Amino acid sequence: MRRIAFMVLVLVLAALASGCRKTEEKGAGGIGKPRIVATIFPVYEFARAVAGDKAEVTLLLPPGMEPHSFEPQPGDIVRVSKADLFIYTNRYMEPWAGEIVKGAGGRKLTVVDASRGAKFLKAGEGNNHDDHGHGGHSHGGERMDPHLWLDFTNAQLMVDNIAAALAAADPANRSVYLANAAAYRARLADLDERYRKGLASCATRTILHGGHYAFGYLANRYGLRYLSAYAVSADAEPTPAKLAQLVNQVRAEGLKYIFTEELLDPRTAETIARETGASILMLHGAHTVSKADLDRGVTFMELMEKNLKNLREGLQCR
């Protein structure tokens, strides 16, 4: 009954929002700026880079909100119903995106899956990955890792997908969007090259992470081994057996550093560090940022530069 009442409320609010849309200045194809709602920080950042000052981009999830466990509220659906474009990362990161689109019900809403054309990795699997206790988002019986933007070639693809959608929705500014996308894609390519060179010669090639399974793409891209305490969802809890395994791994490999992550309780990393004498460094998955960081204008590039600095220190790279 609660779900039925929720959906009725959503439909009523969406209908009201649709009526408002008819009286407001339109973005795409009209005289106003296109309005974009992006689900989480990476696509928000990429959309802003592509749009420049030609479109209005807003972030759907509140700062610090964990996207894996996000539950859309009627107000979220109303916001999307008023937009011209709705951009989400992929079906594994935001399985609730379809519910929002269905609730918004706008005929003129352009829905952008930023991952279109990307190749997903299985969560916790592959030549460089640990395959124990890392449940992912299931699709067709496979567990898939949704954090694809941490391979910067995937990030470039996402930028292209966003640019193509925005150029189609607002053809008057097509050349601007495509030029902005090309410039940002070049910055991502340069970042990828600096990671490749910066992580080429390191004393250890194991990233031991006291957080959730977020850096599989990064490890795969640069030939690193990746071990994490949590599954793909940050809501999961590591088992005592898993913690013991990671402690033994630190000792066996003589690791001097382990990594924790933003906006996650650091107790797991602190426990491993206390048992082994290792030091702790931060890695930022960039799927969400704090309100303070968002307010000061933190960028994806800034976060990735800090990650490279800490990876080079933690892996003892030359």
Side-chain angles (χ1 to χ4, degrees):
M1 288 299 294
R2 289 179 60 188
R3 181 167 183 79
I4 293 173
F6 175 85
M7 291 308 298
V8 169
L9 178 59
V10 165
L11 291 173
V12 170
L13 290 173
L16 291 173
S18 178
C20 292
R21 283 170 62 94
K22 294 178 182 178
T23 62
E24 293 174 353
E25 290 184 349
K26 289 301 298 173
I31 58 176
K33 292 182 178 181
R35 290 161 295 190
I36 302 170
V37 174
T39 53
I40 65 174
F41 186 74
V43 286
Y44 168 73
E45 182 79 351
F46 300 160
R48 289 203 307 160
V50 171
D53 63 358
K54 300 299 183 182
E56 298 174 358
V57 186
T58 59
L59 180 63
L60 180 67
L61 267 68
M65 172 66 69
E66 171 54 51
H68 298 287
S69 56
F70 177 69
E71 294 185 4
Q73 300 300 309
D76 301 317
I77 297 175
V78 170
R79 284 180 60 196
V80 173
S81 73
K82 293 181 178 180
D84 298 296
L85 287 87
F86 172 63
I87 305 174
Y88 68 101
T89 313
N90 60 75
R91 63 189 182 276
Y92 307 117
M93 177 59 74
E94 300 110 325
W96 38 263
E99 180 181 345
I100 284 186
V101 171
K102 183 178 180 180
R107 290 182 301 168
K108 296 184 179 180
L109 177 66
T110 298
V111 179
V112 184
D113 177 354
S115 72
R116 186 170 57 86
K119 182 179 179 180
F120 287 87
L121 297 176
K122 295 180 182 179
E125 299 180 7
N127 293 333
N128 300 314
H129 303 150
D130 176 33
D131 188 28
H132 301 285
H134 297 299
H137 295 266
S138 179
H139 179 72
E142 295 181 324
R143 299 170 300 162
M144 310 306 291
D145 184 348
H147 306 88
L148 77 167
W149 61 87
L150 291 172
D151 178 329
F152 304 132
T153 60
N154 285 335
Q156 293 174 63
L157 175 66
M158 295 167 75
V159 168
D160 283 340
N161 285 336
I162 292 168
L166 192 48
D170 183 21
N173 290 305
R174 173 186 174 86
S175 62
V176 175
Y177 300 138
L178 297 183
N180 287 347
Y184 196 78
R185 193 172 61 243
R187 293 181 64 194
L188 287 167
D190 178 68
L191 182 68
D192 177 54
E193 180 65 11
R194 283 185 284 117
Y195 263 73
R196 187 187 66 79
K197 291 180 178 179
L199 300 176
S201 300
C202 305
T204 178
R205 304 202 66 77
T206 298
I207 300 173
L208 197 142
H209 180 212
H212 81 298
Y213 193 91
F215 297 94
Y217 287 94
L218 187 150
N220 185 75
R221 177 68 178 166
Y222 305 111
L224 303 171
R225 187 183 184 201
Y226 177 53
L227 307 175
S228 70
Y230 292 62
V232 166
S233 173
D235 292 333
E237 290 289 342
T239 65
K242 183 63 182 179
L243 285 176
Q245 175 191 346
L246 293 176
V247 167
N248 291 336
Q249 196 76 40
V250 172
R251 290 170 175 163
E253 296 193 28
L255 302 180
K256 298 184 183 301
Y257 295 89
I258 61 174
F259 296 90
T260 188
E261 68 182 282
E262 79 286 356
L263 305 178
L264 188 71
D265 191 325
R267 284 180 297 177
T268 296
E270 289 170 352
T271 297
I272 298 171
R274 186 167 57 250
E275 292 294 323
T276 61
S279 299
I280 299 176
L281 290 169
M282 172 72 70
L283 284 182
H284 205 300
H287 61 297
T288 187
V289 297
S290 69
K291 185 178 186 304
D293 278 345
L294 189 67
D295 288 345
R296 73 174 178 82
V298 69
T299 67
F300 180 79
M301 292 291 181
E302 177 186 343
L303 296 176
M304 296 305 106
E305 292 285 0
K306 290 180 179 178
N307 279 355
L308 178 57
K309 178 178 181 294
N310 286 347
L311 281 168
R312 283 182 51 78
E313 181 180 354
L315 302 181
Q316 299 172 277
C317 304
R318 298 190 299 275

